[in-house]
């Protein structure tokens, strides 16, 4: 078994132990410019950036994570973002909210980013791929009104990358400039429960 195969096998073990989906892993990795979903099925290449970022979800560095004797961390040793996501799971890309979801985009965005810390920078494509269908097909995030007003801000810079088709895409970047408070998260949940 190669080191990459060992890493993937251990990553899957940890993910399943904490009952996380691949979509939830991608939510926890939001802002790190890496994608986990598809690595276990070998549909996506395992990158060095992912090898370094993935163990941080569990409060481990990549050197410690790769040691054979390293076991699952205790609940109290998990980072707050991971605990918060596990305790109050968001809607993820695996779900399908249908056309009704398009009227509640802000609520889904709030629930997807509620675990992020102040100062986290993430791109629009990183966020949308973690949202339920049809929102993950590409939405425009309107953060100047409604629930999202003041939750985060759009940066003047953007990220350029080539998509699967080889086309150059300009991806808007956003910055969390204040923590999501319980009132806002509660409001987003109530809105989704009503509809």
């Amino acid at each position: 078994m190669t080191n990459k195969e060992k890493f993937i096998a251990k990553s899957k073990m940890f993910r399943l132990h904490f009952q996380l989906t691949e979509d939830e892993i991608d939510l926890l990795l939001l802002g790190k410019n890496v994608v986990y979903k598809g690595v276990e099925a070998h549909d996506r290449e395992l990158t060095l950036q992912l090898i370094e970022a993935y163990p941080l979800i569990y409060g481990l560095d990549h050197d410690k994570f790769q040691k054979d004797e390293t076991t699952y961390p205790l609940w109290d040793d998990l980072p707050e973002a991971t605990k918060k996501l596990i305790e109050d799971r968001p809607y993820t890309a695996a779900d399908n909210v249908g056309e009704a979801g398009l009227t509640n985009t802000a609520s889904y965005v709030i629930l997807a980013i509620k675990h992020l810390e102040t100062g986290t920078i993430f791109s629009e494509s990183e966020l949308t791929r973690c949202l339920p269908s049809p929102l993950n097909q590409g939405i425009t995030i309107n953060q100047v009104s409604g629930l999202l007003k003041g939750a985060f801000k759009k940066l003047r810079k953007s990220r350029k990358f080539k998509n699967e088709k080889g086309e150059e895409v300009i991806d808007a970047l956003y910055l969390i400039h204040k923590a999501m408070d319980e009132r806002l998260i509660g409001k987003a949940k109530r809105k989704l429960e009503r509809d």
Side-chain angles (χ1 to χ4, degrees), residues 16-36:
L16 294 174
H17 175 80
F18 288 103
Q19 298 176 348
L20 291 163
T21 66
E22 290 181 67
D23 291 314
E24 288 168 336
I25 296 293
D26 278 340
L27 277 174
L28 288 166
L29 292 171
L30 204 64
K32 306 240 187 306
N33 198 24
V34 294
V35 180
Y36 181 80

Side-chain angles (χ1 to χ4, degrees), residues 47-188:
T47 64
L48 181 59
Q49 292 91 337
L50 182 58
I51 289 171
E52 291 174 349
Y54 181 82
L56 298 175
I57 291 171
Y58 308 106
L60 302 168
D61 65 37
H62 72 280
D63 291 329
K64 183 166 178 150
F65 181 77
Q66 290 182 312
K67 290 183 180 167
D68 291 336
E69 66 273 8
T70 301
T71 57
Y72 310 115
L74 299 172
W75 176 257
D76 291 341
D77 296 335
L78 288 175
E80 285 305 311
T82 305
K83 289 196 264 192
K84 193 171 187 176
L85 189 129
I86 291 171
E87 287 174 332
D88 194 13
R89 295 176 186 272
Y91 293 87
T92 63
D95 299 319
N96 184 341
V97 296
E99 294 302 311
L102 294 172
T103 60
N104 295 314
T105 302
S107 296
Y108 288 105
V109 169
I110 294 291
L111 294 179
I113 64 172
K114 71 182 185 311
H115 67 283
L116 296 179
E117 294 180 17
T118 306
T120 302
I121 296 175
F122 63 92
S123 71
E124 192 160 84
S125 68
E126 282 180 296
L127 175 62
T128 54
R129 76 165 190 274
C130 297
L131 295 174
S133 180
L135 303 177
N136 61 3
Q137 305 306 311
I139 55 160
T140 301
I141 300 169
N142 178 8
Q143 85 282 4
V144 294
S145 64
L147 279 180
L148 295 178
K149 186 175 184 178
F152 53 91
K153 67 179 180 182
K154 188 172 186 175
L155 299 176
R156 291 176 194 234
K157 58 185 177 178
S158 56
R159 181 183 297 148
K160 289 182 183 174
F161 69 96
K162 290 195 189 273
N163 64 14
E164 296 84 31
K165 297 174 188 170
E167 305 163 333
E168 192 161 286
V169 178
I170 297 173
D171 203 6
L173 292 175
Y174 298 90
L175 168 74
I176 304 273
H177 64 92
K178 70 175 189 178
M180 304 285 149
D181 63 3
E182 291 306 316
R183 183 190 60 76
L184 182 63
I185 294 167
K187 210 172 181 180

